[in-house]
Amino acid sequence: MDYFKNLLDLLKIERSEDREQYKKLTESSSVAERRANGLTWFPVAIRGSEMSRGDYLTIELERTTHQDVSHQFRTGMPAVFFTNHDPQKDRIEGTIAHQNGNKLKITIKDDELPEWSRDGKLGVDLLFDDNSYDEMNDALKKASELSEKSPLIQILTGAKSPTFRQDNVGKALNPADGEKQLPLSVSPQTISVQSSVETQTTAIEALQKLNTSQKNAVEKILSANELAIVHGPPGTGKTTTLVQAIKALVKQENQKILVVAPSNTAVDLLSEKLSEEGLNVLRVGNPARVSERLQRLTLESKMADHDYLKETKRLRKQAQEFKNMAHKYKRSFGKAERDQRKALFDEAHRIMKEVDNTEQYIIDDLLTKTQVVTATLVGANHYTVRNLTYQTIVIDEAGQALEPACWIPILKAQKVILAGDHCQLSPTIKSNEAAKNGLSKTLLEKCIELHPEAVTLLEEQYRMNENIMGYSSAVFYDDKLKAHQSVAKSLLFTDDTPLLFIDTAGCGFDEKLEGTSSTNPDEATFTFKHINLFVEELHRKDFNANNFPSIAVISPYKQQINLLKEQFEHSADLQKYKDNISVNTIDSFQGQERDVVYISLTRSNDKGEIGFLADIRRMNVAMTRARKKLVVIGDSATLGQHPFYANFIEYAEKKGGYVSAWEFLE
């Protein structure tokens, strides 16, 4: 099928570019450079080792220095354990089995620690992650093979239209006065026997708390036979809606639901929310956020609480004892000793097979009781759930999901729920060629265009003052967004201006180029001058350490962020509020919100060049992070060449939020 052939070709280009970029980062770089790029832990200390599934050994390592350096280590990624005495020779490849804080477990295909591991100077390097690309590649090939027979694949690729049941789903969400309805259009018999009347009543109450568009989204999800789409603009309660829909699906279909997202953080959020709603959730892979609640949801934690685990521990200990006995034989021994050594190893392997069987029983038992499995897109093929199928899968943050990765979970289901916002940030693509030829277009975006009948737009937002919301609503959401009354008029204090565009045109704040990133030192200095003036005003309005608002300072350019961070660090008056003020790139703030947001647009030149400011979806993210006050700082002479910014400046003027930077320089 041409559809999948095209995706396979684009994925090949992306893999090649990704590998090249990885090689540039690692081939000629030192351990210190690789560590700074998040690709190496060095030095590490061995904290323990144990026999693992099959003929593998799992080694627990802890990084002993540079513990605050961010890294890219994740469960399932390929890595190499090495000694820096001879890193080319003394190295052994493996897979990250678990990562938590400053500890990780790496599984190697060997039955004992390498001899060089006793000499110290140990480290772990990440290898290029071919596994993820292999999983995506295999999924696309399989989807192509199944496309002739699968109605779901034909719908997702545009060959067919989705269908919907016409039944009493809506009645469950909007029962007539006095009626006692189950939360779904199904008979009581399909509800799990553990469900009590109180549980059902609670579910009804939770659904009734949803607003009209949220209820419509749940109705669409329940009535869909193959596809439903939740388009969730910023602050519209997409997660709340999804959680209630998933609860309803579990009760309706009385079987496991698979919930996936492109990032660990998004998976964690849903896992936590679903667990809080009383669902039995299994988090496959390791959480990015290390909280006790999330740890309890992982397979490792649930296995630790299982009644049969004591037996596996006893067997492991026994197998290890046999191996230790075998290792006591010297290298020069006769036939009898050799036979005895072999017998000991054979017995250890036999016991470990028994361990594998017992662990598999525990996993199967846990999965039988699980209602919702949560994982990243690639994590949906984790060995524990690889062969499971589901009635329904839910892909959250689908606007940031690479399409080939989406096909990994899709192939396991009969019905797909896509949730996200294609008007915010798209997936990160390493290859410009692949992005330009279509890899940057998500399955969510394609399906919204192909099947508008499957889409529900969440229309009521609970985050922003209506003036902050208004411009995004007009440009991206056909003016359909409405601010809930609880936030529509929200201000930090009476008579504050919720939206401000500060025009630096004519101030001589010229941009500079540092490497490949634009900076504007004068604008950075001015931004913090204005923040200081604003904080002085807050003090006059009786704001103090107890009620000080949260403030984000953001910019699309990394080098500009570095300058802004320097300004912040040298601002003594603001340092006392450092827990309330954060400075970072726009991309890092997707999904977050603050009371006040400052945006430094940076670009200022006489050619009207604005670079990737032209990616207006990134600006949609930036402008919708603020709850009560949004301050945008930029040069109208440069920005005004682009219609999006010209219209925004005009919108700010109409709302009484346009001022010149000159007013603050005098």
Side-chain angles (χ1 to χ4, degrees):
M1 188 176 179
D2 286 348
Y3 184 94
F4 292 106
K5 183 184 182 303
N6 181 50
L7 278 174
L8 282 163
D9 291 343
L10 293 175
L11 189 64
K12 186 177 180 181
I13 294 167
E14 175 68 3
R15 187 202 290 239
S16 177
E17 178 61 27
D18 197 2
R19 187 184 281 116
E20 279 304 306
Q21 289 188 20
Y22 180 84
K23 279 172 69 177
K24 283 179 187 173
L25 269 177
T26 58
E27 272 191 350
S28 58
S29 57
S30 65
V31 164
E33 288 168 331
R34 295 198 306 276
R35 183 171 57 205
N37 286 317
L39 302 173
T40 295
W41 279 17
F42 183 87
V44 297
I46 297 172
R47 297 302 185 213
S49 65
E50 62 181 12
M51 295 177 71
S52 189
R53 296 172 76 88
D55 297 327
Y56 293 83
L57 180 74
T58 296
I59 309 165
E60 184 175 12
L61 303 169
E62 182 176 13
R63 58 176 175 174
T64 52
T65 65
H66 300 83
Q67 294 183 337
D68 57 341
V69 176
S70 61
H71 62 85
Q72 299 178 40
F73 285 75
R74 299 287 180 270
T75 301
M77 296 182 80
V80 60
F81 179 44
F82 68 90
T83 171
N84 217 29
H85 289 295
D86 191 347
Q88 296 307 311
K89 181 185 169 190
D90 294 337
R91 51 193 276 124
I92 186 165
E93 292 187 9
T95 304
I96 305 297
H98 187 80
Q99 186 273 312
N100 188 342
N102 287 300
K103 288 185 178 180
L104 64 77
K105 291 180 179 179
I106 182 171
T107 298
I108 60 172
K109 193 165 187 180
D110 208 334
D111 54 16
E112 60 183 318
L113 284 165
E115 285 191 19
W116 48 258
S117 66
R118 300 181 185 91
D119 300 331
K121 292 187 76 174
L122 304 174
V124 190
D125 269 339
L126 274 184
L127 296 174
F128 180 73
D129 190 9
D130 265 314
N131 176 60
S132 295
Y133 282 103
D134 288 342
E135 295 278 14
M136 289 188 275
N137 204 62
D138 291 347
L140 292 175
K141 285 180 178 176
K142 189 175 178 185
S144 183
E145 291 166 9
L146 296 172
S147 58
E148 298 284 315
K149 301 174 186 173
S150 167
L152 176 59
I153 294 174
Q154 290 167 7
I155 287 163
L156 293 173
T157 56
K160 283 187 176 180
S161 296
T163 61
F164 300 87
R165 296 193 313 277
Q166 300 300 318
D167 55 18
N168 295 324
V169 170
K171 198 173 181 184
L173 296 174
N174 301 288
D177 289 343
E179 282 190 12
K180 281 277 184 180
Q181 292 285 341
L182 290 176
L184 301 163
S185 60
V186 288
S187 65
Q189 287 76 19
T190 60
I191 302 296
S192 168
V193 289
Q194 290 92 344
S195 294
S196 63
V197 173
E198 289 81 3
T199 303
Q200 294 166 22
T201 304
T202 304
I204 294 168
E205 288 171 354
L207 289 166
Q208 292 307 310
K209 287 178 183 175
L210 302 179
N211 65 41
T212 302
S213 61
Q214 290 172 332
K215 285 180 186 177
N216 290 342
V218 176
E219 282 189 38
K220 183 76 75 176
I221 287 169
L222 299 182
S223 65
N225 291 318
E226 308 91 5
L227 174 67
I229 300 167
V230 181
H231 182 186
T236 53
K238 172 176 63 69
T239 301
T240 300
T241 306
L242 276 186
V243 167
Q244 294 307 322
I246 291 164
K247 267 182 79 175
L249 282 168
V250 167
K251 292 186 182 300
Q252 181 191 58
E253 293 165 359
N254 199 28
Q255 55 185 295
K256 276 177 277 297
I257 307 288
L258 174 62
V259 178
V260 292
S263 72
N264 275 294
T265 305
V267 177
D268 291 348
L269 176 63
L270 271 171
S271 301
E272 210 159 0
K273 298 288 185 188
L274 289 164
S275 177
E276 286 169 1
E277 289 289 324
L279 292 172
N280 189 327
V281 178
L282 176 65
R283 169 69 160 99
V284 175
N286 297 126
R289 298 209 315 266
V290 184
S291 69
E292 188 181 338
R293 185 184 286 114
L294 275 170
Q295 287 298 327
R296 285 206 311 270
L297 303 181
T298 63
L299 181 68
E300 196 173 62
S301 175
K302 292 194 175 199
M303 286 181 75
D305 292 336
H306 199 277
D307 293 341
Y308 276 49
L309 193 77
K310 282 182 183 175
E311 177 64 8
T312 66
K313 283 183 176 176
R314 184 187 69 77
L315 289 169
R316 272 182 195 279
K317 188 177 178 185
Q318 196 177 359
Q320 193 63 53
E321 284 169 0
F322 278 116
K323 281 205 168 188
N324 291 342
M325 287 165 66
H327 287 311
K328 284 178 183 174
Y329 286 92
K330 304 297 180 189
R331 293 193 182 280
S332 54
F333 45 70
K335 182 178 182 305
E337 288 88 355
R338 198 161 43 245
D339 289 346
Q340 180 63 18
R341 178 183 166 96
K342 183 179 182 302
L344 289 166
F345 272 125
D346 286 347
E347 183 60 14
H349 288 144
R350 186 195 66 75
I351 294 170
M352 284 308 296
K353 281 194 173 69
E354 204 176 323
V355 170
D356 287 352
N357 291 336
T358 307
E359 285 187 347
Q360 192 57 54
Y361 170 81
I362 294 171
I363 291 166
D364 291 343
D365 186 46
L366 290 171
L367 284 169
T368 301
K369 296 167 184 170
T370 295
Q371 293 171 304
V372 182
V373 175
T374 62
T376 58
L377 295 164
V378 176
N381 249 7
H382 190 270
Y383 76 91
T384 53
V385 294
R386 180 179 285 271
N387 298 318
L388 287 185
T389 57
Y390 308 83
Q391 175 64 30
T392 303
I393 68 155
V394 177
I395 303 179
D396 191 21
E397 299 296 356
Q400 285 190 281
L402 202 63
E403 181 178 353
C406 290
W407 286 99
I408 298 170
I410 286 171
L411 293 175
K412 301 172 181 290
Q414 299 171 37
K415 170 174 167 177
V416 174
I417 312 303
L418 297 174
D421 184 10
H422 59 294
C423 301
Q424 296 188 63
L425 291 176
S426 54
T428 301
I429 312 286
K430 302 286 177 71
S431 164
N432 291 331
E433 182 187 351
K436 189 173 63 179
N437 288 314
L439 193 60
S440 62
K441 190 166 188 177
T442 61
L443 186 63
L444 174 73
E445 200 169 350
K446 291 177 182 178
C447 286
I448 285 175
E449 290 174 6
L450 289 168
H451 307 301
E453 71 276 22
V455 182
T456 307
L457 174 70
L458 302 182
E459 296 177 349
E460 195 164 19
Q461 66 84 17
Y462 298 82
R463 175 184 297 167
M464 296 165 272
N465 178 290
E466 61 189 2
N467 286 355
I468 298 171
M469 173 203 75
Y471 188 63
S472 280
S473 178
V475 174
F476 296 100
Y477 308 109
D478 297 326
D479 242 346
K480 289 180 179 174
L481 282 193
K482 301 288 177 282
H484 186 263
Q485 61 182 15
S486 62
V487 298
K489 306 292 183 186
S490 60
L491 297 168
L492 282 168
F493 51 83
T494 307
D495 300 328
D496 189 27
T497 307
L499 175 68
L500 204 59
F501 176 76
I502 303 178
D503 190 355
T504 64
C507 294
F509 292 1
D510 296 331
E511 67 181 69
K512 293 174 172 52
L513 193 64
E514 287 193 24
T516 57
S517 184
S518 294
T519 65
N520 194 321
D522 292 325
E523 186 173 289
T525 302
F526 173 81
T527 298
F528 271 93
K529 178 177 181 179
H530 190 274
I531 292 172
N532 273 292
L533 290 170
F534 178 61
V535 169
E536 287 174 14
E537 186 175 11
L538 288 174
H539 289 157
R540 290 194 295 273
K541 301 288 185 182
D542 295 328
F543 282 82
N544 53 49
N546 295 323
N547 63 352
F548 195 81
S550 57
I551 299 175
V553 185
I554 60 180
S555 173
Y557 295 97
K558 286 182 180 176
Q559 290 298 339
Q560 184 71 354
I561 289 299
N562 291 337
L563 291 179
L564 289 163
K565 283 181 175 176
E566 282 178 26
Q567 290 289 330
F568 179 38
E569 285 164 11
H570 291 104
S571 180
D573 291 340
L574 295 180
Q575 280 301 302
K576 60 182 132 182
Y577 300 116
K578 63 182 179 182
D579 292 339
N580 300 74
I581 302 173
S582 46
V583 184
N584 219 324
T585 59
I586 291 170
D587 295 34
S588 69
F589 273 98
Q590 174 143 333
Q592 298 187 51
E593 57 189 73
R594 297 290 190 273
D595 294 322
V596 183
V597 171
Y598 276 77
I599 307 174
S600 169
L601 292 177
T602 307
R603 300 307 295 264
S604 178
N605 56 73
D606 54 13
K607 296 175 184 174
E609 293 176 351
I610 64 169
F612 68 73
L613 285 186
D615 179 0
I616 61 173
R617 291 192 294 189
R618 180 171 272 104
M619 291 315 300
N620 184 34
V621 172
M623 292 176 174
T624 54
R625 302 304 97 202
R627 288 191 280 254
K628 298 179 180 180
K629 189 178 185 72
L630 172 65
V631 182
V632 182
I633 301 171
D635 181 345
S636 65
T638 301
L639 299 167
Q641 306 298 312
H642 193 287
F644 175 84
Y645 295 98
N647 292 334
F648 171 71
I649 294 165
E650 187 180 331
Y651 173 82
E653 281 185 292
K654 284 180 182 173
K655 299 296 180 184
Y658 173 90
V659 292
S660 170
W662 282 106
E663 294 183 27
F664 303 96
L665 294 174
E666 293 167 356

